[in-house]
Amino acid sequence: MNKLIPIGAAMLAALAMPVAAEQVNGQKATDFKLTDANGKTVQLSDFKGKTVVLEWNNPGCPFVQRHYQGNMQKTQAAAKAGGVVWLTINSGAPGKQGHVDGAGAKKWVAEQKAVPAHYLLDPKGIVGKGYAAKTTPHMYIIDGQGVLRYQGGIDDKPAARVEEMGAARNHVLAALGEMKAGKAVSVASSQPYGCSVKYAE
């Protein structure tokens, strides 16, 4: 099972370091601590007993921008209505496309009318690499016992423009619905698509 090793308060955003860089469906997801856009420390294990969605984000990515023309907000709102905790994570390095500080993150969330529980900052990419997050968006669903139930794309239409989207299957909403009904997740993993996460070198 993956573990985290605390590295102290010297780090601005990422407060804990994963040892391994792969998450396995059906196993415990790696715990982590990050600072959110308001400067609050948020730990994944704080939400024990609740389903958690992780969304990797880059405001400058065309694929993210496509989903934030309504699809991501609707998905967030539906998840929230079902008692799900939504954590948006930005692992973009300073100086690279999509990187934001706390003020920038709050401004962007307000402009998009997004409703994550927290927008988390991971400028050193420690949590992103620990989860092997490859793209923006890259989605993960963790159940109330801390077990990873889904990882991959938000849907099955890897298009950067709304008009190319067509009738997409929203993997996140489908998985959440199946979990709520006590069923196994029928599509537990899919190929993530979007812009590559802009990690520090």
Side-chain angles (χ1 to χ4, degrees), residues 48-104:
K48 184 177 180 180
K50 294 186 177 183
T51 298
V52 176
V53 172
L54 307 181
E55 170 217 347
W56 259 264
N57 180 271
N58 168 353
C61 171
F63 292 88
V64 171
Q65 292 168 358
R66 184 262 277 188
H67 283 293
Y68 272 92
Q69 291 183 50
N71 183 48
M72 192 68 77
Q73 295 94 327
K74 289 178 183 177
T75 304
Q76 290 173 348
K80 183 178 179 180
V84 175
V85 176
W86 191 288
L87 302 178
T88 299
I89 302 175
N90 189 316
S91 295
K96 295 197 174 183
Q97 181 206 48
H99 169 77
V100 291
D101 59 12

Side-chain angles (χ1 to χ4, degrees), residues 98-142:
H99 169 77
V100 291
D101 59 12
K106 288 193 289 185
K107 181 175 183 290
W108 186 81
V109 167
E111 289 174 346
Q112 300 301 318
K113 296 181 173 58
V115 290
H118 299 275
Y119 192 110
L120 302 176
L121 306 176
D122 181 34
K124 292 184 180 293
I126 293 171
V127 174
K129 290 177 181 177
Y131 270 73
K134 298 177 176 64
T135 64
T136 52
H138 194 157
M139 313 298 296
Y140 298 77
I141 301 176
I142 301 162

Side-chain angles (χ1 to χ4, degrees), residues 12-49:
L12 176 62
L15 304 178
M17 179 180 292
V19 189
E22 183 177 358
Q23 305 296 306
V24 179
N25 287 340
Q27 295 186 11
K28 287 278 189 179
T30 303
D31 197 11
F32 62 81
K33 291 182 182 179
L34 287 172
T35 300
D36 74 4
N38 294 307
K40 178 182 178 182
T41 298
V42 175
Q43 186 163 356
L44 177 62
S45 56
D46 290 342
F47 306 109
K48 184 177 180 180

